Amino acid sequence: MSAKRRPPGEVLLKVENISLSFGGVRALSDISFEIRRHEVFSIIGPNGAGKSSMLNCINGFYHPQGGSITYKGRTRRQMRPHEVASQGIARTFQNIALFRGMSTLDNIMTGRSLKMRAGLLAQAIRFGPALKEELEHREFCERIIDFLEIESIRKVPVGRLPYGLQKRVELGRALAAEPELLLLDEPMAGMNLEEKRDMCRFILDVNDEFGTTICMIEHDMGVVMDISDRVVVLDYGRKIGEGQPEEVRSNQAVIDAYLGVQH
Amino acid sequence: MDLLYKIFLDPFVQMGAAPDLLLQTLWEGLVGGVLYALIALGFVLIFKASGVFNFAQGIMVVFAGLTLVGLFGVISGLGNVNEHVAAFAALGLTVGVMFVLAVGIERLVLRPLVNQPDIILFMATFGLTYVLIGVGELIFGGEPKVMITGELFLPRGSTDWEVFGGFVSFQHIDLAAAIIASLMVAGLAVFFSKTRIGRALRAVADSHKAALSVGISLEQIWVIVWFASGLVALVTGIMWAARSDVSFALQIIALRALPVLILGGFTSIPGAIVGGLIIGVGEKLGEFYWGPLLGGGIESWLAYFIALVFLLFRPQGLFGEKIIERV
Ligand SMILES: Nc1ncnc2c1ncn2[C@@H]1O[C@H](COP(=O)(O)OP(=O)(O)OP(=O)(O)O)[C@@H](O)[C@H]1O
Ligand SMILES: [Mg+2]
């Protein structure tokens, strides 16, 4: 579907034998996979399969009991959210987590938290270099706003926006961090066809233009098959399939899992 | 009939008959209100950032005041030090102590309890209160201390303003309190609205997980808000103690902030300020014009009464948006 894509590069993120349980519930058992640079990588599976838990492990919100995660060559047993963010991983959430009281622009500005350097006092009194820095970040965020076509809601508190636009703002906030790896948890859930098409376009454009690696959870099979380079399939916390979209589509275990839990 | 007249008409007749007295009462109410607002502000900062109702805010006021007076004693004891130099050195050091306290609380109380239910953190601030009382008594002793107002160049005396055929008297210390509190509030407002930290604080207040995902450090924000409310506590301590003295009894002024919070909301900085002023003025008016009717003693509950009556008409509080529960 997309024109020319960058060829996948070296391994950016490697997940090895991750296991995670909550009390008696095994959310993830022994999951391993690799994500390569510039890929669009999708995680699919029925409800409760452990997809979001996987992203939360990568992002450092959940701490798996077993296994390790290697990101940019450094292996860790557990990731920590702050460190993850500063290493270039940004994300969106399944149940939108925006700063509801703030405007679209301010939400996106928070995405640049780690890029701001000016001292506190300098900022408070809007001292020269601090002001200049703030303006530069502002300009960057305005470009994201243009890119996502949300100029008209720049100043609107996001709590008042319709769901589809909130998802878009959340993507904008993640993009503001200029991530190397972008984790998207169901970016198109609850959207109508047109909104989905826009969202697909944004994701592919980001991937094309900036070479950003994408790791996405998505239920819409049409979308997944269209835009993914590779797909991993989870069911009841286990990995039941992995490969290019065509391979996964014809994998019997995957077909059974999806027939068992019809969507 | 007579009672109704006394409640609903007579006080206003009195106000009209002696406008200078009314002005005097309003002024005293405003001054009290400024201090309530400061205390409430300390609560709001911490509640916004961590969702914790900080029971220790009152004792922090006492602790800051005692530390200031105590350090002043130590520094003056060193020998031939000018009293003003000693006072300001003690002030600087106390600010340092409040910073260390904020870091200590973050490390020893907040960080180990992160992800625990809010009620656990609330209980932890009880614990903190008693630790601070214990440490405070150990170091400074239990007896009340005199605040070093003169040494800090805080003015004494009063000025009379002749008006309406009478006069209104302004205590200079009250004027100073009002000015310093306003400057402090303005400073905090600028800091929290114009800086990256301010944006980060609002972000943390809205969603912890989203704040973490963009790389905002909760630990750093917590230290900053506890330090900020420590500074607010210090200013409150100085101003309040300037009228009486510094003693552990002062910690109950924390309870005075509760009606302000009911009125202004737990997360609204303007709410804390305007709420503080309303309660302060309402309390003084009530005490002066309605108090005799009820035989005194009304200051202990009047503030709550004002807050509750207000909420009857505006359930969302001063600046809150109408909350519509999603079902
Ligand atoms: N914080 C948590 N505490 C307890 N159990 C959890 C927690 N998070 C996830 N689980 C459990 O782990 C399992 C996997 O959940 P997860 O949210 O990862 O699934 P998912 O694949 O994202 O599903 P969906 O498609 O519905 O979003 C579920 O059984 C869920 O109840
Ligand atoms: Mg999920």
Side-chain angles (χ1 to χ4, degrees):
Chain A
M1 160 175 167
S2 61
K4 55 171 182 3
R5 296 265 286 273
R6 299 181 195 217
E10 79 276 25
V11 173
L12 179 63
L13 181 95
K14 186 171 174 183
V15 169
E16 286 174 290
N17 309 106
I18 289 291
S19 298
L20 172 77
S21 18
F22 298 100
V25 181
R26 273 197 86 107
L28 295 169
S29 324
D30 214 22
I31 304 291
S32 305
F33 57 81
E34 287 176 359
I35 303 178
R36 296 175 170 277
R37 252 182 218 279
H38 313 316
E39 255 184 339
V40 175
F41 184 90
S42 291
I43 303 177
I44 63 170
N47 291 110
K51 306 180 294 297
S52 297
S53 302
M54 192 63 240
L55 280 205
N56 286 333
C57 288
I58 296 175
N59 171 239
F61 282 161
Y62 290 171
H63 294 151
Q65 285 90 7
S68 64
I69 297 177
T70 308
Y71 176 67
K72 288 206 264 183
R74 264 196 64 194
T75 303
R76 298 172 188 79
R77 171 78 194 287
Q78 297 180 336
M79 310 288 273
R80 295 185 45 228
H82 185 260
E83 194 188 356
V84 166
S86 63
Q87 293 286 310
I89 301 182
R91 70 168 292 172
T92 65
F93 296 85
Q94 182 169 354
N95 310 305
I96 302 171
L98 281 169
F99 308 121
R100 299 176 58 82
M102 291 193 220
S103 68
T104 297
L105 178 62
D106 273 349
N107 264 277
I108 295 176
M109 282 290 275
T110 60
R112 293 196 72 74
S113 298
L114 286 166
K115 307 244 172 236
M116 302 199 184
R117 285 286 147 258
L120 287 180
L121 190 65
Q123 289 181 54
I125 58 177
R126 311 228 122 191
F127 171 70
L131 187 59
K132 185 158 163 279
E133 191 190 28
E134 171 95 4
L135 288 178
E136 280 167 11
H137 288 298
R138 182 84 177 249
E139 210 175 288
F140 187 89
C141 293
E142 298 285 5
R143 284 212 298 276
I144 291 179
I145 288 177
D146 287 348
F147 169 68
L148 294 176
E149 297 158 18
I150 46 179
E151 298 88 344
S152 57
I153 54 164
R154 294 169 64 241
K155 294 282 178 196
V156 182
V158 295
R160 297 208 202 122
L161 296 175
Y163 185 80
L165 281 179
Q166 291 196 10
K167 283 257 175 203
R168 223 184 262 197
V169 175
E170 212 192 9
L171 175 65
R173 185 181 63 195
L175 290 178
E178 300 175 71
E180 288 175 74
L181 175 60
L182 183 56
L183 310 173
L184 304 172
D185 197 343
E186 305 201 12
M188 292 164 234
M191 287 188 172
N192 63 33
L193 210 60
E194 192 189 342
E195 289 173 322
K196 277 189 187 178
R197 203 174 305 138
D198 286 339
M199 191 52 105
C200 278
R201 180 162 54 84
F202 296 138
I203 294 172
L204 286 175
D205 279 354
V206 168
N207 179 250
D208 274 351
E209 280 178 35
F210 312 111
T212 310
T213 311
I214 313 273
C215 173
M216 171 179 85
I217 297 174
E218 185 48 54
H219 277 296
D220 184 323
M221 281 309 130
V223 168
V224 169
M225 296 300 160
D226 254 3
I227 73 173
S228 314
D229 294 310
R230 279 186 321 118
V231 179
V232 61
V233 192
L234 304 184
D235 189 23
Y236 292 111
R238 293 174 190 286
K239 184 169 92 175
I240 58 166
E242 181 179 13
Q244 299 189 335
E246 312 81 66
E247 299 171 45
V248 166
R249 201 177 352 211
S250 51
N251 179 328
Q252 194 55 46
V254 175
I255 295 170
D256 290 346
Y258 271 88
L259 288 179
V261 189
Q262 192 61 57
H263 284 264
Chain B
M1 257 340 265
D2 192 39
L3 186 66
L4 286 184
Y5 172 77
K6 276 189 176 151
I7 293 179
F8 291 107
L9 275 176
D10 187 46
F12 298 101
V13 173
Q14 286 182 39
M15 286 178 201
D20 55 332
L21 265 185
L22 177 62
L23 273 185
Q24 180 79 52
T25 315
L26 286 175
W27 164 246
E28 283 173 15
L30 276 179
V31 172
V34 165
L35 288 168
Y36 290 163
L38 274 184
I39 303 167
L41 190 63
F43 277 108
V44 166
L45 283 176
I46 288 177
F47 191 84
K48 256 176 106 75
S50 49
V52 180
F53 181 84
N54 178 25
F55 186 78
Q57 188 69 32
I59 193 68
M60 277 167 63
V61 171
V62 178
F63 189 81
L66 285 176
T67 306
L68 176 61
V69 177
L71 284 171
F72 174 75
V74 172
I75 296 172
S76 327
L78 290 179
N80 218 352
V81 197
N82 175 297
E83 58 170 6
H84 297 299
V85 175
F88 280 94
L91 188 64
L93 285 174
T94 308
V95 170
V97 169
M98 296 318 279
F99 183 71
V100 172
L101 184 68
V103 174
I105 290 171
E106 192 276 313
R107 285 286 146 81
L108 303 175
V109 183
L110 300 177
R111 199 179 289 185
L113 292 180
V114 69
N115 289 335
Q116 298 290 328
D118 291 345
I119 186 76
I120 305 273
L121 278 162
F122 174 54
M123 298 314 282
T125 67
F126 266 79
L128 182 63
T129 305
Y130 290 99
V131 169
L132 285 180
I133 291 181
V135 172
E137 280 190 345
L138 194 70
I139 302 178
F140 307 110
E143 66 282 359
K145 305 265 186 323
V146 180
M147 182 42 73
I148 49 170
T149 41
E151 292 82 345
L152 285 172
F153 293 117
L154 291 175
R156 285 171 205 285
S158 63
T159 302
D160 291 341
W161 177 41
E162 285 190 38
V163 66
F164 297 127
F167 63 88
V168 181
S169 154
F170 295 95
Q171 296 287 326
H172 291 168
I173 185 73
D174 288 349
L175 283 169
I179 292 170
I180 292 172
S182 313
L183 288 179
M184 169 129 220
V185 169
L188 285 173
V190 168
F191 181 73
F192 282 116
S193 67
K194 298 286 184 218
T195 66
R196 157 170 62 96
I197 294 289
R199 197 157 39 220
L201 171 74
R202 284 180 285 146
V204 169
D206 266 0
S207 164
H208 280 191
K209 67 176 181 179
L212 281 170
S213 81
V214 294
I216 292 169
S217 151
L218 291 184
E219 285 102 357
Q220 194 193 16
I221 296 295
W222 284 337
V223 168
I224 290 170
V225 294
W226 279 80
F227 179 49
S229 48
L231 290 185
V232 173
L234 175 59
V235 171
T236 319
I238 296 172
M239 293 307 166
W240 203 290
R243 309 145 146 229
S244 49
D245 44 23
V246 204
S247 75
F248 284 97
L250 202 64
Q251 63 154 310
I252 58 143
I253 60 172
L255 296 182
R256 292 294 181 112
L258 269 182
V260 178
L261 294 172
I262 295 173
L263 195 62
F266 278 74
T267 55
S268 165
I269 290 177
I273 296 164
V274 178
L277 296 180
I278 291 181
I279 295 280
V281 169
E283 218 177 35
K284 269 281 174 290
L285 286 179
E287 227 177 285
F288 193 76
Y289 290 101
W290 284 271
L293 271 177
L294 298 162
I298 85 172
E299 64 268 20
S300 55
W301 53 264
L302 186 61
Y304 288 90
F305 181 74
I306 297 170
L308 290 178
V309 169
F310 193 90
L311 284 188
L312 273 181
F313 295 100
R314 217 184 133 77
Q316 66 270 41
L318 269 176
F319 294 100
E321 285 187 28
K322 254 206 168 77
I323 303 162
I324 299 166
E325 188 79 37
R326 199 171 173 154
V327 285

